[in-house]
């Protein structure tokens, strides 16, 4: 029969595969944001953007703030089952009436929310550790 050590080794392999499995596709979004209204931008992303994204099945893995030279950026990672779903959900989110209203009202008070937007679809390599 199988030894305990072999069973434990197989269980460990299974566990690491399960940890990495969920996303066939990840998406990295990087927004140039402005120091003058950065706090308000973070409030909007935390309180509204995420909430409305969830309505359309967005799964945000993590959110960072980063610097690129003098530029402040918000970067976040999403995961999706496939590219078709990603494109469809984005279209639905961008059409959301509440989101359109929030952006308009926010802009009237705080000005431009974001400058350049970078959008990268990340396809995991077969040799990626995770």
């Amino acid at each position: 029969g199988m030894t305990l050590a072999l069973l434990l080794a197989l269980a460990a392999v299974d566990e690491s595969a399960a940890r990495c499995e969920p996303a066939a596709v990840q998406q990295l979004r990087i927004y140039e944001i402005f120091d003058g209204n950065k706090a308000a931008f973070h409030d909007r992303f935390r309180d509204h953007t995420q909430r409305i994204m969830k309505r359309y099945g967005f799964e945000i893995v993590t959110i960072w703030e980063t610097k690129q030279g003098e530029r402040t950026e918000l970067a976040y990672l999403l995961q999706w089952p496939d590219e078709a779903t990603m494109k469809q959900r984005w279209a639905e989110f961008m059409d959301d009436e509440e989101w359109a209203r929030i952006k308009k009202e926010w802009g009237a008070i705080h000005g431009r929310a974001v400058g350049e937007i970078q959008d990268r679809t990340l396809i995991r390599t077969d040799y990626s550790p995770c």
Side-chain angles (χ1 to χ4, degrees), residues 22-23 25-27 50 58-64 75-80 124:
V25 171
Q26 289 181 313
Q27 181 183 21
Q50 283 191 104
F58 281 56
E59 188 181 341
I60 300 175
V61 179
T62 191
I63 305 168
W64 304 272
Y76 62 105
L77 187 68
L78 294 157
Q79 63 185 29
W80 300 103
R124 190 179 290 135

Side-chain angles (χ1 to χ4, degrees), residues 35-50:
D35 290 332
N37 61 13
K38 184 174 87 168
F41 176 87
H42 282 300
D43 288 346
R44 184 181 88 171
F45 203 96
R46 184 189 60 239
D47 299 337
H48 299 296
T49 312
Q50 283 191 104

Side-chain angles (χ1 to χ4, degrees), residues 62-130:
T62 191
I63 305 168
W64 304 272
E65 186 180 296
T66 180
K67 284 273 196 197
Q68 177 73 12
E70 291 300 300
R71 184 161 110 167
T72 303
E73 297 174 333
L74 178 91
Y76 62 105
L77 187 68
L78 294 157
Q79 63 185 29
W80 300 103
D82 51 61
E83 285 186 75
T85 302
M86 178 180 79
K87 289 182 174 121
Q88 179 196 337
R89 301 280 167 78
W90 269 106
E92 292 167 354
F93 170 70
M94 296 307 275
D95 275 350
D96 185 275
E97 287 177 24
E98 185 190 6
W99 178 232
R101 180 178 51 75
I102 287 167
K103 281 196 297 187
K104 190 176 175 186
E105 289 171 1
W106 192 94
I109 298 165
H110 301 287
R112 197 160 63 128
V114 299
E116 184 192 3
I117 296 175
Q118 297 176 48
D119 185 350
R120 300 184 192 143
T121 302
L122 309 174
I123 310 297
R124 190 179 290 135
T125 61
D126 59 4
Y127 56 85
S128 172
C130 198

